[in-house]
Amino acid sequence: MALAMVEFQKVFKSYFRGTLEIPVLKNLSLSIPTGTFLAIMGPSGSGKSTLLNLIAGLDRPSQGAAVVAGQNVSSLSEGELARWRARHIGFIFQFYNLIPVLTAAENVELPLLLTPLSKRDRAQHVHAALELVGLADRAHHYPRQLSGGQEQRVGIARAIVSDPDILLADEPTGNLDKNAAEDILTLLSRLNREMKKTIIMVTHDPHAAERAQLVQRLDKGLLA
Amino acid sequence: MSLSRLIVRNALRHKVRAALTVGVIALVVLGFGLLQTTVDAWYAGVEASVQNRLIARHAVSLSIHLPIAYRDRIATLAGVTGVSYANWFGGVHRDAKGFFPQFAIEPQSYLDLHPEFQLNAAERDAFLRDRQGCIVGRKLAAQYGWKLGDRIPLKGNLYPGDWEFVVRGIYQGAEPATDETLFLFHWAYLNERRKTFDPDRANSVGWYVIRVENPAQAPQVVQAIDTGFANSVAETKTETEQAFQMGFVAMAGTLIFALQLMAALLNGITLLVLANALIMSLRERTREYAVMKTLGFRPAHLAVLIGGESLVIAALGAGLGAALTVPTCNAYGAFLSSRLGNFFPIFALKTQTLLLTTSVTLLVSTAAAVVPMLQAVRIKTSEGLRHIG
């Protein structure tokens, strides 16, 4: 059996609205094997994004242990978490979140600025990532000059350029038309199949979830 | 691509906003430069003063004169290497607008004690020989188009009557701070005529200029002069030339303070304008900063991005402001000269003023970035990603 890339033990997460504590994840235990393409589904407010944020180390559990890529993320400081994320996590956003003043290539290069790679090596990595997503010819285009699907592909190239262990995708097709969404899902499947990336995708779309190997449903902070 | 490139792109992201912010900073730098140059103009006399010169005047007021006989007593004091004297004349050339500083001096000793008034040997000799002769500063000569041999009429106020002088020399200042708008003539000529209309006050001088061998001896010489003439009919007040000049500056102290306050307020404007622009940018880019944190950028990186953006805008503003300050100061100096005559004999922008205003602007820009930097550092990534800017 493959080693777990994500191991959650009785993770409890709550937020406070004033003095009112709102539980979001309730003693959730979860194990995601390395190389899995997992889709997490559930209604709004079920805790999907919170779960993704905990895996990415953007948030810390209120209680319980969250081990990702062999690291207990609860024990790291914010600075250490940032360094850890840069090495292990690739994040794909629903709204692409590209920097508008940077070209596609410069957006993809952004995470590599945190590495000791030379300018030439960075350029090679960027070219490879853009080629993988089929946008090498759009390297010098700004986000406003790209379609939504192309922007998302640049977002994926940015997520994979530093060769992370896990790709986290938060509604990656939620803002795209059917054809563009299909292209993105195909691309994610390829990354999982050919590059053995562990992919955890949050989605509302049952069609998108069908492309994953596993589907987990979350409801009111509990796995169904 | 590098972080510095991202900083520049971010700084110029909103072209109109960036242009307006740069414009405001440039105007602030220009205003600061003009105000500081005006303050400097007030202090020009202080700056031009020499360490080893003292001024002795009447203890009560500069308008009360001292006997000429004091000269020989002062000259014999230990540490004194030269004594000269002068009177304020206060006449006008043609009309009231034709005002410039005129002093009746003892020519030989006065020029010896003031080597900063540079005069060629022939002109110096001609001046010393001609009791009705005068020497004028280069700027004053240029202002009135005077040349050697011209006869200059003055109408006396303190010393009534029509006076006429012959230009025997045009001096140049040895230092940029040397006043080149003075009109100097023979004290003996003034005294000779004074004997006819005001004989009781003849043989008196407005002040003595004393050169000491070593500036360190100044306190002893000051004390020796003032105690030497204590309880006499004309007690003296002796001080360094710098302190004497500061006395004139102090008369305009409130105005100068107001100018300095305005200069400080201008820097406050820079701080607020820049901080406002940065906070607006931060609010718009909260999500971008959260994305960068998600990608692995640390709070320090965001601080560098915001601080750098502030510096880029401030540097552009300071550069533009400095470029505008040079011609504007020249034009303003000419305007002041046309309105106030030689009230400010030295009105020149100093390099250190430009350096000061530029450094202060850059310093203020760093201060302006502090609050936005702290805000960016504190952005909670998961909340920032949901932010709609």
Side-chain angles (χ1 to χ4, degrees):
Chain A
M1 187 179 165
L3 289 170
M5 180 60 79
V6 178
E7 190 77 52
F8 275 29
Q9 290 289 331
K10 293 187 176 175
V11 167
F12 180 84
K13 178 67 186 176
S14 62
Y15 292 106
F16 282 87
R17 189 170 295 156
T19 52
L20 181 68
E21 185 177 16
I22 301 165
V24 184
L25 297 178
K26 300 165 184 170
N27 295 326
L28 183 140
S29 293
L30 172 73
S31 181
I32 303 171
T34 301
T36 306
F37 184 175
L38 169 72
I40 299 171
M41 296 192 71
S44 292
S46 60
K48 303 186 300 292
S49 294
T50 301
L51 176 60
L52 216 55
N53 287 343
L54 289 175
I55 296 171
L58 299 176
D59 238 334
R60 290 188 182 84
S62 306
Q63 288 171 33
V67 178
V68 183
Q71 176 68 51
N72 184 352
V73 293
S74 320
S75 65
L76 298 177
S77 68
E78 196 177 344
E80 289 168 335
L81 269 175
R83 284 191 197 89
W84 172 84
R85 261 198 311 275
R87 273 202 314 275
H88 298 285
I89 304 289
F91 215 103
I92 300 161
F93 303 94
Q94 180 179 357
F95 297 104
Y96 334 127
N97 286 336
L98 303 179
I99 309 290
V101 290
L102 301 180
T103 63
E106 288 167 339
N107 267 290
V108 175
E109 190 184 357
L110 213 48
L112 298 181
L113 295 179
L114 303 168
T115 68
L117 289 175
S118 68
K119 194 175 174 183
R120 177 184 287 188
D121 287 345
R122 292 204 304 264
Q124 283 175 353
H125 280 69
V126 169
H127 182 74
L130 282 172
E131 200 150 68
L132 192 70
V133 300
L135 280 180
D137 58 333
R138 298 297 182 104
H140 301 297
H141 287 218
Y142 286 91
R144 64 178 181 276
Q145 297 168 319
L146 301 172
S147 69
Q150 288 170 331
E151 280 196 77
Q152 190 58 297
R153 281 195 275 162
V154 173
I156 293 172
R158 181 177 64 186
I160 61 173
V161 72
S162 53
D163 195 24
D165 300 317
I166 312 171
L167 289 179
L168 301 176
D170 190 0
E171 301 275 9
T173 57
N175 205 37
L176 298 175
D177 62 40
K178 194 179 169 192
N179 290 337
E182 199 59 42
D183 288 346
I184 294 300
L185 291 168
T186 303
L187 182 57
L188 291 176
S189 297
R190 265 186 65 204
L191 290 170
N192 171 248
R193 202 173 52 247
E194 296 172 14
M195 300 180 73
K196 310 295 179 203
K197 295 291 173 199
T198 303
I199 299 177
I200 302 165
M201 175 175 71
V202 161
T203 183
H204 274 105
D205 179 6
H207 177 69
E210 280 174 16
R211 304 292 291 266
Q213 296 161 346
L214 290 170
V215 178
Q216 290 271 16
R217 290 179 197 283
L218 203 58
D219 192 19
K220 294 177 182 168
L222 294 167
L223 285 171
Chain B
M1 222 267 291
S2 60
L3 274 188
S4 54
R5 196 161 174 181
L6 180 56
I7 287 169
V8 173
R9 299 256 187 100
N10 273 339
L12 305 176
R13 185 184 287 208
H14 294 285
K15 302 236 169 354
V16 174
R17 187 193 298 166
L20 290 173
T21 312
V22 165
V24 169
I25 294 168
L27 286 176
V28 165
V29 168
L30 174 62
F32 184 87
L34 280 176
L35 288 172
Q36 189 58 45
T37 303
T38 309
V39 171
D40 288 344
W42 240 293
Y43 282 94
V46 177
E47 205 172 301
S49 57
V50 174
Q51 294 283 321
N52 64 346
R53 283 200 299 246
L54 307 176
I55 304 290
R57 61 175 174 88
H58 196 285
V60 174
S61 164
L62 195 58
S63 62
I64 305 174
H65 290 178
L66 297 170
I68 187 69
Y70 282 14
R71 178 190 53 184
D72 293 339
R73 281 181 61 186
I74 294 171
T76 58
L77 293 172
V80 173
T81 60
V83 181
S84 189
Y85 47 90
N87 276 39
W88 172 255
F89 183 69
V92 293
H93 178 55
R94 294 192 193 124
D95 55 38
K97 283 185 180 173
F99 173 79
F100 41 82
Q102 304 128 20
F103 298 107
I105 59 167
E106 196 294 301
Q108 180 81 54
S109 58
Y110 199 87
L111 290 177
D112 283 349
L113 262 62
H114 295 82
E116 66 269 30
F117 299 141
Q118 293 189 331
L119 201 60
N120 71 44
E123 291 178 17
R124 182 185 172 109
D125 286 348
F127 174 50
L128 294 178
R129 277 200 306 271
D130 183 359
R131 180 173 279 227
Q132 212 177 336
C134 69
I135 56 172
V136 296
R138 184 181 59 85
K139 281 187 191 167
L140 186 63
Q143 185 181 347
Y144 287 98
W146 293 337
K147 52 190 185 304
L148 297 181
D150 282 358
R151 303 186 85 82
I152 314 298
L154 292 183
K155 186 171 279 299
N157 290 327
L158 299 174
Y159 304 95
D162 293 321
W163 299 71
E164 191 172 75
F165 303 90
V166 181
V167 178
R168 292 300 179 198
I170 296 171
Y171 73 83
Q172 294 215 342
E175 304 291 337
T178 306
D179 188 350
E180 292 182 326
T181 66
L182 302 182
F183 183 101
L184 306 172
F185 64 93
H186 289 244
W187 178 86
Y189 177 46
L190 174 77
N191 196 49
E192 187 180 280
R193 281 191 55 178
R194 199 178 187 188
K195 284 176 184 171
T196 63
F197 61 78
D198 188 11
D200 292 345
R201 294 204 289 170
N203 296 321
S204 64
V205 303
W207 62 90
Y208 285 99
V209 184
I210 299 122
R211 184 176 59 206
V212 292
E213 194 172 5
N214 183 341
Q217 294 174 299
Q220 291 91 328
V221 175
V222 165
Q223 195 180 19
I225 295 171
D226 289 347
T227 52
F229 296 112
N231 302 316
S232 69
V233 286
E235 293 191 344
T236 55
K237 180 183 178 185
T238 309
E239 57 199 342
T240 61
E241 189 178 65
Q242 193 173 46
F244 178 73
Q245 294 288 357
M246 275 299 287
F248 291 102
V249 175
M251 292 176 195
T254 308
L255 184 59
I256 293 170
F257 175 73
L259 290 176
Q260 288 170 327
L261 188 66
M262 280 165 68
L265 287 177
L266 285 177
N267 285 309
I269 293 173
T270 306
L271 184 84
L272 295 178
V273 167
L274 253 178
N276 183 50
L278 288 171
I279 287 170
M280 280 167 71
S281 300
L282 177 69
R283 198 159 40 236
E284 290 163 0
R285 290 186 220 148
T286 298
R287 192 164 171 166
E288 273 180 39
Y289 291 133
V291 168
M292 292 185 79
K293 280 187 165 183
T294 307
L295 296 179
F297 284 83
R298 294 191 291 282
H301 289 119
L302 301 188
V304 167
L305 280 176
I306 292 167
E309 191 174 332
S310 179
L311 275 177
V312 167
I313 294 280
L316 288 173
L320 178 63
L324 289 173
T325 304
V326 178
T328 309
C329 256
N330 291 338
Y332 185 58
F335 169 76
L336 284 179
S337 181
S338 71
R339 291 297 175 99
L340 302 174
N342 293 307
F343 187 76
F344 289 125
I346 312 284
F347 192 92
L349 176 69
K350 292 181 187 167
T351 309
Q352 58 255 53
T353 299
L354 274 184
L355 290 175
L356 175 72
T357 179
T358 309
S359 333
V360 168
T361 306
L362 296 181
L363 204 66
V364 163
S365 74
T366 310
V370 169
V371 172
M373 277 197 280
L374 288 175
Q375 287 181 343
V377 164
R378 287 176 188 155
I379 291 172
K380 209 162 181 304
T381 314
S382 53
E383 287 172 13
L385 289 174
R386 288 196 293 271
H387 182 86
I388 297 169

